[in-house]
Amino acid sequence: MTFRRARRGAATLLLCLSLVAALSATGCSVLPGPVHKSAAADGPAKAEDGGSRKAPPVVMFLGDSYTVGDRGVEPETTYAAATARLLGWQVVIGGRAGTGFLAKGRGTQAFLGLFESQLGWRPAPDLLVVSGGHNDWRLPAPKVAAAAHLLLQRARQRWPGTRVVLVGPLWGTGAPTPGALAVRDALRDLARQLGVPFIDPIGEKWITGDWVTGQGNAPRYIKRDRTHPNQTGHRYVATRLVADLDRLGLAHPARKR
């Protein structure tokens, strides 16, 4: 994430696609995983009172190159967009490659600045997914957690009814560094303190093995840079995220009123 990357601008897109429509339009296949029936997938069926079905949830993602894409991967084909297709969400994807809660990559903004410039001025979404920490692994974990705390507080102040999920560092191949594990632990502890659901890709072993040994699922899902998912990997990561969101009761989120 801090190596071998092209600078990317802000990635923002709106999707209101069902899984069936999306697969038809893009030709993508979805790896075996949880299948969820959504209002978007049902089509224009009517509610009992004769009106249209409730609009799909609006979900925003804030993250690094895993979320917005890296060289050869566009925002609309990352795990964030794939998750939205699977669950029938409208999605806004924000962030920038190389960034984190403290890390600024080659730009001038970390996550808080990117939140303000790309997402925070928009109408409140039903759910905000903040995914990061990978690029912060060289930085002191307590300072990373403090920056994450400020970001989550700002989001709650801006959108009091919006639900929030914190996703810990994603990791490519090989064993995560001690710094990455320290950041993961600090973010997990912060989420517990704030009562925010926490998803732990490292702990759940979303990616296993290494390109070097040829073991685990990394050779199938991770590029030769040993860091970023390939297209198949993004779709796979989406199925893992969907499963966790379903477990948390957030596959079809709605803002608190």
Side-chain angles (χ1 to χ4, degrees):
M1 304 276 296
T2 54
F3 304 97
R4 297 184 292 275
R5 67 183 70 244
R7 183 176 182 180
R8 305 188 63 84
T12 304
L13 55 140
L14 294 175
L15 300 174
C16 184
L17 300 172
S18 69
L19 173 60
V20 175
L23 295 179
S24 175
T26 64
C28 294
S29 61
V30 178
L31 298 175
V35 177
H36 296 262
K37 189 175 182 181
S38 67
D42 285 341
K46 301 297 183 180
E48 291 182 1
D49 62 1
S52 298
R53 285 188 183 273
K54 183 179 178 181
V58 175
V59 178
M60 296 186 186
F61 282 79
L62 178 65
D64 49 34
S65 59
Y66 284 114
T67 301
V68 303
D70 67 300
R71 186 187 300 273
V73 177
E74 299 301 328
E76 59 268 26
T77 61
T78 66
Y79 80 87
T83 299
R85 291 186 177 102
L86 285 170
L87 294 175
W89 292 343
Q90 297 185 74
V91 66
V92 180
I93 300 176
R96 187 164 293 145
T99 60
F101 296 99
L102 285 178
K104 298 179 180 178
R106 298 182 180 180
T108 60
Q109 295 178 315
F111 277 180
L112 179 59
L114 294 170
F115 170 79
E116 295 287 7
S117 63
Q118 298 179 10
L119 303 178
W121 52 270
R122 299 175 183 276
D126 294 291
L127 176 68
L128 171 66
V129 180
V130 179
S131 173
H134 182 114
N135 293 319
D136 295 307
W137 71 271
R138 296 177 184 272
L139 303 170
K143 291 186 177 181
V144 175
H149 192 175
L150 182 59
L151 168 63
L152 296 177
Q153 282 185 321
R154 188 69 56 83
R156 279 181 164 176
Q157 291 168 357
R158 195 68 50 81
W159 303 321
T162 294
R163 299 176 185 274
V164 178
V165 171
L166 182 59
V167 181
L170 290 152
W171 201 257
T173 66
T177 65
L181 294 175
V183 167
R184 186 274 310 272
D185 292 346
L187 293 175
R188 180 188 59 201
D189 292 346
L190 172 66
R192 184 181 298 116
Q193 172 190 339
L194 298 179
V196 171
F198 182 73
I199 294 175
D200 182 7
I202 292 177
E204 294 179 14
K205 300 185 184 302
W206 287 11
I207 303 297
T208 60
D210 197 336
W211 261 102
V212 175
T213 63
Q215 297 177 336
N217 62 24
R220 181 179 182 187
Y221 296 138
I222 301 298
K223 293 180 178 181
R224 292 187 180 276
D225 66 5
R226 302 182 63 202
T227 300
H228 299 93
N230 54 30
Q231 293 292 344
T232 301
H234 275 288
R235 295 194 293 272
Y236 162 74
V237 168
T239 66
R240 297 300 301 261
L241 180 57
V242 165
D244 278 340
L245 291 170
D246 190 41
R247 170 178 55 82
L248 294 167
L250 293 172
H252 304 288
R255 279 188 297 129
K256 301 174 185 176
R257 302 297 179 179

